Structures are given as C-alpha cells and as structure tokens.
Amino acid sequence: MRYILVLFWALVFSCQSPKVEDHGHSHEEEGAHSHDGDGSPSVDHTVWTEQTELFVEFPALVVGKTSRFAAHFTILNGHQPVRDGSVTVSLIKNKKGIRHTVDAPSSPGIFGPSLQPKEAGVYQLVFDLKTPTYSDRITLDNIQVFENNEEAKETLGGEEENGSEISFLKEQAWKVEFQTDPVVEKEVYQTIPTSGIWKVAPTDYQTLVAPATGRVKFGQEVLTEGSAVKNGQVLMTVSSKGLTSNNLEAEIQKAKADLEQAKSEYDRKKELYESKIVPKAAFEQVEQKYQVAKTNYETLSSGYTSGGKQIISPMDGFVKSIQAENGGFAEQGKALITITSHNSSLLQVQVSPKYSAELQNIQNLWYQPKEGTWSALKEKGGRILSVGKEVDPNQPLLSVFAEVNEGVEMPEGSFTEAQLAVGKASQGLVVPVSCLMEDYGNYSVIIQLSGESFERRNVTIGKRNGSEVEITNGLSKGEVVVTKGAYQVKMASMSGQAPAHGHAH
C-alpha cells in the first residue's frame, strides 16, 4: 500500500508544468492581453503623427528595473499594423540617455524593446520607427522615472474605471476594415441638395465620316458601343471597288497620273527658269499646278490600302455610337462612328427656380464620379459653364452645367447625387459622413480616447458638404473619430464582455 501511495504522488507531481516567467506579449483567449510583472503600475500613451499611430503600454519606469514596452504601430493610411521594420526607443535627459533597438516586431504591429533606467527624473521618450517604405519619429515628453515601486504606485495611483469606455484591441481593429480621422475645422457652405445627369463634354468626342462612297467593313470582328479603342487603330475601311461611279481607286489612279504629268512639266520649266529662258510668271503657274496635283493625290491616297479607305481612331477612348453597318453602304460624308475620350464630362444639374438668386453665387459643386465616392468640382479642376436663366413649361427647372475634369465611371445618361455650394462660407467642425451612426433620427459617433479605448458620443449635425458633415455639438477639434468600423466597436460594447486589458512585460 505504501508503494502504491508513493507511485500516486509521483504521477501527480510529474503532470504539473514548471512555472515560467513570461516576458513576452502574451494573449489570453479571444485576443485579450494578460499581465505578468512585479506589481509596477502600468502606463500607456497614444500619439498620432501624419503617418503613424503609436499605442504603447509599459510598467512605470523605476530605477534599476527593466521595463518592457508593448509598442503598437499602426499605419494610418489603411489602418494596418507595421509588419516589417525596426524600432529604437530612447530615454533622454539633457541630451544623454539610454536606448534599445529591436529589429523586427514580435507579432504584426507590436514591438517589444526594453529599458533599464539608471537615475530618477523627468525624461523624453523617443520612438524611431524605420520600415521598408517610410520612417517616423514619435516623442513623448515629461516621462517620469521613479526611485522605487512605492513612489510609482503613490504617484500614479489606481486606474479609475470609466463606465462609458469601450475596449477594442488593436489586434481586433487590424483584422477588420478600420480607419480613424481627426475632427478638423474648415469652411462649410450652405448647400442645395439635388441630382445631376452625366453627359459627354462636346470637346471629348469626335464623329468620323465616310471619306468616300463605298461598302463599309469593320476593322475587328466585334465592334460595339463601349468598345475601347486606341489612337491610330483602324476601326473600319470604306471600299468603292467595283463601283462604276464615285470609284475611289479610279480617282486615285487619275490623280496619280495628273501628279506625274504636272511634276514632269514642273521639272522641265524649272530648268528653263533657272536658265532664264522662261519668265518667272510662267514658272510659278506650272509650280502651282504641280502643288495642287500633289495635294489632291496625297489627300485621296492617305489611309488607302488595297482594301479601301481606312477609318482611323484619332484618340484613345471608347466607342460612343456606331452609325454604320458592317457590310453596309455609305455615302461620302455620312457619319460612321463616334469616339469619346472621357477625359472630361459634362454634368447637368437641375434645381428649383426658387433658388435662382442663390445660383448667382455658386461656390462649389459636389458630385459622385462613382457610386459612394464624392468629389468637389474646384478641387478636381472643373468649372461651372453656365446657369440657366429661364424655365420651360415642359421642364420647370433651372439647369446648371459643369465641366468635370476627372475620370467618371458612371455611364452617360445616368444620375448622380449632387450638392451645390452657395453663398458665403462659415468656419465649422467637420467629420466624414461615414463615421455617423443613426438611431431614429439621432446621430452618434465613436471617439478614440486612446489606442484601445473608445467612447460612443451623441452629436448634432449641421450642413453636409459632399463626403463631410458639420458637427455643431458634441465634438472638439482634434478629437479622433472612427470613420470605418464604428459598428464593430459598437457591437463590442454590446457584447457584455470587456476583454482583459494590458500587456505582459
């Protein structure tokens, strides 16, 4: 029996894992962060530059103790983690200090440098990020290094819970379509919401006509409206072969014979003129006849092959319309095909006559060159062409025509939402419309308080200017709002499970 008990306890102890001190960035289930350390209070900072967001957590800096940083670097354009590169963290006071460099992230977006301060005091903490595509420097001022843990705990105290805060980890944000933007102050205009119709600008299309009478043959098997064409591409040929009249081939042969005869006479008279045998007037008459014959032949033979007269595209673009039929007959001068470049477009906006006074002071025009994307006329180099002054009984609206100088993906004749900016501008706080969440006519946004801490805030909206909306109450300049992924953060707040916070060091 004694041997059985000994064997039992030996098996129990052999199944227990040894205690391992984890100094890495450990994660609990569902992406939560865990704490391992010596009881030092945790410190976190969030800083935004034009290119990068840094969210860093670390144990309070204490003399003689090593603090490991959990530095989360996010590329703001696209809100993706920094996957490649190095980070150097420096603790500087009076131009002296210590530094540590890590050559790669421990996991995507997260770097773990460490520092062991030698003296207490107030320092600068500098993060130098170097990636294959760009570099950035982020500086934190007034970073305290404490003499001991007790001083750190007494100074920093305990973290106060904020019941309205929403925890949404960087690892969660990096996995979804997510984006943030600061609240900015800019000019806001009164707008007239309306719609517009896309048209092709007259300068952007050309109609090609038959240079001769004959049968039409397409240059490719499939030539339809919307087909892409290249500058210099042969679109069609017009052949008059076999015709008893208006036969281009016969006309070219006759023009060639006339040119040869005129050239022969020109060469003979030129020799006589240079020998001062014939007067200048007689030579000039022959020269003129030669030039006319040459021009006539070159015009008739230009683009002519054995298959007929070629119809060549004068630009890169698309087929707007086809007036000819493959194998059909075309008279000289008849329209064959219309090509458009779509380098610019014409937008016709129609508004009620009650806005006639405001239309005399149009400041800008917002439109959608493709579904869900707003552009501003002035920022894209476009211009207002005309504003209607009269209405028709059959069409009781005023038309505003604008030239749009950018690629428009909407087909000709389709509608687009539009906003006409009129009057004088006022200064206001604006955010992207995409950050708004609506509940029964009430609006709210998600504010980023720090790297992984968010808050839902009710706001009052004002004027809408394209993709931006004025906020008249609820936000301050410089606050950071979630413009993509707000509903994911909202759902995190409704899940009832706040993930554990903090990082292991």
PDB file of all heavy atoms in Angstrom, residues 210-224:
ATOM      1  N   ALA A 210     -17.564  59.119 -93.576  1.00  0.00           N
ATOM      2  CA  ALA A 210     -17.038  58.366 -94.722  1.00  0.00           C
ATOM      3  C   ALA A 210     -16.289  59.314 -95.653  1.00  0.00           C
ATOM      4  O   ALA A 210     -16.865  60.295 -96.131  1.00  0.00           O
ATOM      5  CB  ALA A 210     -18.179  57.690 -95.459  1.00  0.00           C
ATOM      6  N   PRO A 211     -15.000  59.061 -95.904  1.00  0.00           N
ATOM      7  CA  PRO A 211     -14.235  59.934 -96.797  1.00  0.00           C
ATOM      8  C   PRO A 211     -14.539  59.684 -98.264  1.00  0.00           C
ATOM      9  O   PRO A 211     -14.127  60.448 -99.133  1.00  0.00           O
ATOM     10  CB  PRO A 211     -12.786  59.557 -96.474  1.00  0.00           C
ATOM     11  CG  PRO A 211     -12.863  58.137 -96.041  1.00  0.00           C
ATOM     12  CD  PRO A 211     -14.185  57.972 -95.356  1.00  0.00           C
ATOM     13  N   ALA A 212     -15.252  58.599 -98.545  1.00  0.00           N
ATOM     14  CA  ALA A 212     -15.600  58.256 -99.914  1.00  0.00           C
ATOM     15  C   ALA A 212     -16.856  57.395 -99.886  1.00  0.00           C
ATOM     16  O   ALA A 212     -17.270  56.897 -98.834  1.00  0.00           O
ATOM     17  CB  ALA A 212     -14.459  57.505-100.590  1.00  0.00           C
ATOM     18  N   THR A 213     -17.456  57.242-101.015  1.00  0.00           N
ATOM     19  CA  THR A 213     -18.628  56.378-101.129  1.00  0.00           C
ATOM     20  C   THR A 213     -18.165  54.928-101.304  1.00  0.00           C
ATOM     21  O   THR A 213     -17.225  54.649-102.049  1.00  0.00           O
ATOM     22  CB  THR A 213     -19.487  56.795-102.325  1.00  0.00           C
ATOM     23  OG1 THR A 213     -19.933  58.141-102.133  1.00  0.00           O
ATOM     24  CG2 THR A 213     -20.690  55.879-102.479  1.00  0.00           C
ATOM     25  N   GLY A 214     -18.823  54.007-100.603  1.00  0.00           N
ATOM     26  CA  GLY A 214     -18.433  52.613-100.752  1.00  0.00           C
ATOM     27  C   GLY A 214     -19.021  51.719 -99.679  1.00  0.00           C
ATOM     28  O   GLY A 214     -19.864  52.132 -98.864  1.00  0.00           O
ATOM     29  N   ARG A 215     -18.558  50.486 -99.696  1.00  0.00           N
ATOM     30  CA  ARG A 215     -19.029  49.482 -98.745  1.00  0.00           C
ATOM     31  C   ARG A 215     -18.163  49.520 -97.478  1.00  0.00           C
ATOM     32  O   ARG A 215     -16.943  49.641 -97.561  1.00  0.00           O
ATOM     33  CB  ARG A 215     -18.974  48.094 -99.376  1.00  0.00           C
ATOM     34  CG  ARG A 215     -19.693  47.014 -98.579  1.00  0.00           C
ATOM     35  CD  ARG A 215     -19.701  45.706 -99.343  1.00  0.00           C
ATOM     36  NE  ARG A 215     -20.406  45.839-100.607  1.00  0.00           N
ATOM     37  CZ  ARG A 215     -21.728  45.791-100.741  1.00  0.00           C
ATOM     38  NH1 ARG A 215     -22.485  45.618 -99.670  1.00  0.00           N
ATOM     39  NH2 ARG A 215     -22.280  45.899-101.927  1.00  0.00           N
ATOM     40  N   VAL A 216     -18.810  49.402 -96.301  1.00  0.00           N
ATOM     41  CA  VAL A 216     -18.141  49.521 -95.009  1.00  0.00           C
ATOM     42  C   VAL A 216     -17.768  48.142 -94.493  1.00  0.00           C
ATOM     43  O   VAL A 216     -18.584  47.212 -94.528  1.00  0.00           O
ATOM     44  CB  VAL A 216     -19.039  50.234 -93.975  1.00  0.00           C
ATOM     45  CG1 VAL A 216     -18.341  50.301 -92.613  1.00  0.00           C
ATOM     46  CG2 VAL A 216     -19.408  51.623 -94.459  1.00  0.00           C
ATOM     47  N   LYS A 217     -16.537  48.032 -94.021  1.00  0.00           N
ATOM     48  CA  LYS A 217     -16.083  46.790 -93.394  1.00  0.00           C
ATOM     49  C   LYS A 217     -15.409  47.136 -92.081  1.00  0.00           C
ATOM     50  O   LYS A 217     -14.490  47.955 -92.035  1.00  0.00           O
ATOM     51  CB  LYS A 217     -15.102  46.043 -94.299  1.00  0.00           C
ATOM     52  CG  LYS A 217     -14.626  44.711 -93.705  1.00  0.00           C
ATOM     53  CD  LYS A 217     -13.648  44.006 -94.635  1.00  0.00           C
ATOM     54  CE  LYS A 217     -13.184  42.683 -94.023  1.00  0.00           C
ATOM     55  NZ  LYS A 217     -12.211  41.995 -94.892  1.00  0.00           N
ATOM     56  N   PHE A 218     -15.887  46.523 -90.981  1.00  0.00           N
ATOM     57  CA  PHE A 218     -15.322  46.802 -89.662  1.00  0.00           C
ATOM     58  C   PHE A 218     -13.906  46.244 -89.566  1.00  0.00           C
ATOM     59  O   PHE A 218     -13.597  45.192 -90.139  1.00  0.00           O
ATOM     60  CB  PHE A 218     -16.181  46.202 -88.560  1.00  0.00           C
ATOM     61  CG  PHE A 218     -17.485  46.932 -88.335  1.00  0.00           C
ATOM     62  CD1 PHE A 218     -17.850  47.998 -89.146  1.00  0.00           C
ATOM     63  CD2 PHE A 218     -18.336  46.560 -87.305  1.00  0.00           C
ATOM     64  CE1 PHE A 218     -19.038  48.679 -88.942  1.00  0.00           C
ATOM     65  CE2 PHE A 218     -19.529  47.225 -87.085  1.00  0.00           C
ATOM     66  CZ  PHE A 218     -19.886  48.276 -87.915  1.00  0.00           C
ATOM     67  N   GLY A 219     -13.049  46.954 -88.801  1.00  0.00           N
ATOM     68  CA  GLY A 219     -11.660  46.544 -88.656  1.00  0.00           C
ATOM     69  C   GLY A 219     -11.471  45.393 -87.692  1.00  0.00           C
ATOM     70  O   GLY A 219     -10.401  44.788 -87.641  1.00  0.00           O
ATOM     71  N   GLN A 220     -12.481  45.073 -86.871  1.00  0.00           N
ATOM     72  CA  GLN A 220     -12.408  43.927 -85.963  1.00  0.00           C
ATOM     73  C   GLN A 220     -13.759  43.246 -85.938  1.00  0.00           C
ATOM     74  O   GLN A 220     -14.794  43.852 -86.251  1.00  0.00           O
ATOM     75  CB  GLN A 220     -11.995  44.370 -84.548  1.00  0.00           C
ATOM     76  CG  GLN A 220     -12.910  45.414 -83.916  1.00  0.00           C
ATOM     77  CD  GLN A 220     -12.343  45.986 -82.635  1.00  0.00           C
ATOM     78  OE1 GLN A 220     -11.278  46.561 -82.633  1.00  0.00           O
ATOM     79  NE2 GLN A 220     -13.060  45.824 -81.528  1.00  0.00           N
ATOM     80  N   GLU A 221     -13.761  41.987 -85.567  1.00  0.00           N
ATOM     81  CA  GLU A 221     -14.984  41.206 -85.628  1.00  0.00           C
ATOM     82  C   GLU A 221     -16.069  41.773 -84.729  1.00  0.00           C
ATOM     83  O   GLU A 221     -17.236  41.812 -85.091  1.00  0.00           O
ATOM     84  CB  GLU A 221     -14.699  39.746 -85.252  1.00  0.00           C
ATOM     85  CG  GLU A 221     -13.833  39.016 -86.269  1.00  0.00           C
ATOM     86  CD  GLU A 221     -13.643  37.562 -85.898  1.00  0.00           C
ATOM     87  OE1 GLU A 221     -14.222  37.129 -84.885  1.00  0.00           O
ATOM     88  OE2 GLU A 221     -12.924  36.858 -86.629  1.00  0.00           O
ATOM     89  N   VAL A 222     -15.674  42.193 -83.516  1.00  0.00           N
ATOM     90  CA  VAL A 222     -16.645  42.715 -82.556  1.00  0.00           C
ATOM     91  C   VAL A 222     -16.330  44.181 -82.304  1.00  0.00           C
ATOM     92  O   VAL A 222     -15.318  44.515 -81.666  1.00  0.00           O
ATOM     93  CB  VAL A 222     -16.618  41.922 -81.238  1.00  0.00           C
ATOM     94  CG1 VAL A 222     -17.640  42.498 -80.273  1.00  0.00           C
ATOM     95  CG2 VAL A 222     -16.895  40.446 -81.496  1.00  0.00           C
ATOM     96  N   LEU A 223     -17.160  45.054 -82.822  1.00  0.00           N
ATOM     97  CA  LEU A 223     -17.037  46.490 -82.586  1.00  0.00           C
ATOM     98  C   LEU A 223     -18.408  46.979 -82.148  1.00  0.00           C
ATOM     99  O   LEU A 223     -19.338  47.044 -82.948  1.00  0.00           O
ATOM    100  CB  LEU A 223     -16.579  47.207 -83.859  1.00  0.00           C
ATOM    101  CG  LEU A 223     -16.279  48.706 -83.707  1.00  0.00           C
ATOM    102  CD1 LEU A 223     -15.091  48.925 -82.778  1.00  0.00           C
ATOM    103  CD2 LEU A 223     -16.010  49.341 -85.073  1.00  0.00           C
ATOM    104  N   THR A 224     -18.526  47.286 -80.859  1.00  0.00           N
ATOM    105  CA  THR A 224     -19.814  47.675 -80.298  1.00  0.00           C
ATOM    106  C   THR A 224     -19.665  48.957 -79.498  1.00  0.00           C
ATOM    107  O   THR A 224     -18.549  49.405 -79.222  1.00  0.00           O
ATOM    108  CB  THR A 224     -20.376  46.577 -79.378  1.00  0.00           C
ATOM    109  OG1 THR A 224     -19.444  46.365 -78.295  1.00  0.00           O
ATOM    110  CG2 THR A 224     -20.569  45.270 -80.123  1.00  0.00           C
TER     111      THR A 224
END
